[in-house]
Amino acid sequence: MAKVIAITNQKGGVGKTTTSINLGASLAANDLRVLLVDSDPQGNSTSGLGIDKRSDNSTLYNALLAGVPLVDTIIKTDCDGLDIVPADKNLVAANLDLVDLEDREYRLRRALLGVREGYDYILIDCPPALDLLTLNALVAADSVLIPIQCEFFALEGISQLMDTVDRIRESFSHDLKIEGILLTMFDERTNLTRQVADDLREFFSDEVFATVIPRSIRLAEAPSFGKPILMYDPRSRGAESYIKLAKEILENEQRRGQTTQSAR
């Protein structure tokens, strides 16, 4: 049964899509089966993996609102082990179309039930908003991974997201865990980056990943070629960082499993 991780932050430009694509590819490089669900109407994960958004492929919109089984929307990518549920501009209307539907918050969770046994990990690339698409992703997820750029308003933004996570836990009786907080576009040469990183680690302790994602031109270039960084420039610092992140997530999962068994 796949573990479902929502990759979210209501602030744009923090590396959600970059993380979704490259973490997915890095997990797949560990011989795991990974499904990336593009839940952002901009469809950047879709195009970033070389899928044409203008094609007639069924998308997440069709699965959420047109009764198409999610399995029929899945597309294999050029990265072995990594599949994607694409998004296109029709997903913009989803927030309006979902409003009057019964159990509107559970649409994605139910759609994923038919495919969870076929994967080890399912990653959901969320839009930069706390809207119904993001709410669907958080209700469907087992845990949430929060990319944060080390800038002045980082702490303010993450506190709002943590409040949302707490409300989801209470309102939906859903044990949503924090997979981790990921520092992105990290530039250790600046005092601000170091200060924000220190503040986040002091406040959130071990919820902050040890791995950081550096600011990287190669990471920024890779999506324009429709490739994850592992295929575009496997020797780059960005590729190394996402491999380390995947390894850290897998080690954390193993450690939690051992703790649970010990508790029994």
Side-chain angles (χ1 to χ4, degrees):
M1 201 68 146
K3 179 173 184 178
V4 182
I5 302 175
I7 299 174
T8 186
N9 188 326
Q10 71 271 27
K11 190 176 185 308
V14 298
K16 288 188 298 295
T17 296
T18 298
T19 296
S20 299
I21 291 171
N22 293 299
L23 175 58
S26 298
L27 288 168
N30 281 274
D31 295 325
L32 297 170
R33 298 160 300 170
V34 183
L35 176 65
L36 174 54
V37 178
D38 191 350
S39 184
D40 187 344
Q42 296 176 79
N44 289 335
S45 280
T46 301
S47 57
L49 283 170
I51 308 300
D52 186 357
K53 292 184 289 187
R54 298 167 297 179
S55 69
D56 294 328
N57 294 321
S58 292
T59 68
L60 181 62
Y61 180 89
N62 302 108
L64 293 179
L65 291 150
V68 175
L70 194 73
V71 68
D72 292 338
T73 71
I74 294 173
I75 299 173
K76 290 189 178 299
T77 73
D78 291 336
C79 180
D80 288 341
L82 177 60
D83 298 342
I84 186 168
V85 174
D88 63 8
K89 61 184 179 182
N90 291 325
L91 204 55
V92 172
N95 280 299
L96 294 175
D97 295 343
L98 284 167
V99 168
D100 296 324
L101 296 182
E102 187 177 354
D103 292 337
R104 61 189 182 184
E105 301 91 351
Y106 292 91
R107 287 277 168 146
L108 181 55
R109 184 173 181 172
R110 289 172 179 165
L112 288 174
L113 287 175
V115 301
R116 285 189 70 164
E117 290 188 359
Y119 294 94
D120 298 297
Y121 281 89
I122 297 175
L123 308 180
I124 308 173
D125 182 15
C126 297
L130 294 176
D131 57 14
L132 273 172
L133 287 171
T134 298
L135 182 56
N136 262 267
L138 294 177
V139 171
D142 300 307
S143 63
V144 57
L145 189 157
I146 307 167
I148 289 189
Q149 186 177 354
C150 292
E151 61 178 19
F152 183 72
F153 293 112
L155 278 170
E156 180 180 323
I158 197 172
S159 64
Q160 294 173 358
L161 182 54
M162 290 299 191
D163 287 343
T164 301
V165 169
D166 286 339
R167 286 199 297 272
I168 287 172
R169 288 167 174 164
E170 294 172 7
S171 300
F172 298 95
S173 300
H174 179 37
D175 186 21
L176 181 62
K177 294 180 170 55
I178 303 299
E179 189 68 32
I181 297 166
L182 177 66
L183 305 182
T184 63
M185 304 177 203
F186 193 87
D187 187 349
E188 59 188 9
R189 297 170 299 178
T190 68
N191 291 331
L192 178 60
T193 293
R194 292 196 299 271
Q195 183 61 56
V196 171
D198 289 344
D199 289 346
L200 286 167
R201 292 189 191 284
E202 181 179 354
F203 193 80
F204 292 103
S205 186
D206 56 1
E207 288 185 335
V208 181
F209 286 112
T211 304
V212 299
I213 308 302
R215 187 176 292 277
S216 166
I217 293 174
R218 305 299 276 174
L219 270 176
E221 288 174 347
S224 64
F225 292 87
K227 296 179 179 179
I229 190 65
L230 274 179
M231 296 176 67
Y232 179 64
D233 189 353
R235 292 188 176 88
S236 66
R237 290 179 64 211
E240 292 175 0
S241 296
Y242 277 109
I243 285 290
K244 287 180 181 177
L245 176 63
K247 183 178 179 182
E248 185 172 353
I249 287 173
L250 294 173
E251 288 175 347
N252 289 345
E253 188 72 19
Q254 185 178 23
R255 187 161 52 249
R256 292 187 194 109
Q258 291 172 346
T259 301
T260 302
Q261 288 179 349
S262 298
R264 290 173 182 170

